[in-house]
Amino acid sequence: MLMRVATVISSRGTCTRAYVGAVIAIEGRVISMGYVGAPSGMPHCIEVGDEIGEDGGCIRTVHAEANAIAWAARNGFGTEEAELFCTHEPCLACAKLIVNAGITRVVYEHPYRKHDGITLLNDAGIEIFNMPAPEDTFDPSRGGIMVIDDDDDDNDDHYKRVN
């Protein structure tokens, strides 16, 4: 369920390179959400275009995980012992924030182009699960929600441990 929330939140993203959403939860209750976008008050990719850096990523965008952690901190919500559900595998910079935020479990759907973030999370003892997206899932690039397969086969309860 929380991964589905992260997927829906990803539709708020303003970077056209990837629609990414993140949800931070404690004991199954959402305490913060984030999506990709420019820093507050700055122009967004959808307004002025992507700004691609040397590594191929957009440097205008703050990642969904970082935005979720920042929002929680700004609003006084502790993230110690929390779980993070993210539509994409965390990058190295976000992994560092996840470790320092005290998050103990990360669940993601899609792989990232580099896997150094997962390596760091693994080295830090954080539980990491890859939960592949069902074939019929939310796709912000298509402008809406498609039907999510929910035939009570409990597929959304099956995780593939990556560490």
Side-chain angles (χ1 to χ4, degrees), residues 1-6 9 22-34 68 71-72 77-79 82-85:
M1 165 89 132
L2 293 175
M3 183 59 75
R4 290 181 181 171
V5 173
I9 292 303
V23 170
I24 300 174
I26 295 178
E27 296 181 9
R29 296 197 178 262
V30 175
I31 62 165
S32 186
M33 296 179 274
W71 194 91
F77 293 102
T79 54
E83 299 174 290
L84 183 134
F85 294 82

Side-chain angles (χ1 to χ4, degrees), residues 1-13 18-25 30-36 63-65 68 83-89 106-110 131 133-134 137-140 145 148:
M1 165 89 132
L2 293 175
M3 183 59 75
R4 290 181 181 171
V5 173
T7 302
V8 172
I9 292 303
S10 73
S11 69
R12 302 235 21 212
Y19 291 92
V20 181
V23 170
I24 300 174
V30 175
I31 62 165
S32 186
M33 296 179 274
Y35 50 88
V36 294
H63 289 187
E65 307 94 316
E83 299 174 290
L84 183 134
F85 294 82
C86 193
T87 58
H88 291 69
E89 176 182 337
V106 173
V107 180
Y108 71 94
E109 284 184 331
H110 305 286
M131 185 172 94
T137 190
F138 182 80
D139 184 355
I145 297 177
I148 297 175

Side-chain angles (χ1 to χ4, degrees), residues 70-82:
W71 194 91
R74 186 175 183 175
N75 290 282
F77 293 102
T79 54
E80 191 74 28
E81 303 293 320

Side-chain angles (χ1 to χ4, degrees), residues 18 20-21 25-26 31-32 39 45 48-49 57 63 72 112 122 129 132 134 139 146 157 161:
V20 181
I26 295 178
I31 62 165
S32 186
C45 297
V48 296
H63 289 187
Y112 189 61
N122 190 42
F129 294 92
D139 184 355
M146 299 166 60
D157 295 331
R161 184 180 287 276

Side-chain angles (χ1 to χ4, degrees), residues 19-143:
Y19 291 92
V20 181
V23 170
I24 300 174
I26 295 178
E27 296 181 9
R29 296 197 178 262
V30 175
I31 62 165
S32 186
M33 296 179 274
Y35 50 88
V36 294
S40 296
M42 304 297 293
H44 291 277
C45 297
I46 59 173
E47 300 165 344
V48 296
D50 298 321
E51 188 175 343
I52 306 304
E54 291 180 16
D55 70 349
C58 182
I59 59 175
R60 182 182 318 282
T61 293
V62 178
H63 289 187
E65 307 94 316
N67 274 328
I69 292 167
W71 194 91
R74 186 175 183 175
N75 290 282
F77 293 102
T79 54
E80 191 74 28
E81 303 293 320
E83 299 174 290
L84 183 134
F85 294 82
C86 193
T87 58
H88 291 69
E89 176 182 337
C91 70
L92 181 59
C94 288
K96 291 175 184 178
L97 292 172
I98 290 165
V99 171
N100 283 350
I103 293 169
T104 58
R105 183 173 187 242
V106 173
V107 180
Y108 71 94
E109 284 184 331
H110 305 286
Y112 189 61
R113 65 181 175 273
K114 296 180 183 177
H115 304 290
D116 47 1
I118 290 295
T119 301
L120 177 77
L121 294 173
N122 190 42
D123 291 347
I126 293 175
E127 286 185 285
I128 308 159
F129 294 92
N130 176 227
M131 185 172 94
E135 287 190 30
D136 297 341
T137 190
F138 182 80
D139 184 355
S141 67
R142 294 185 185 172

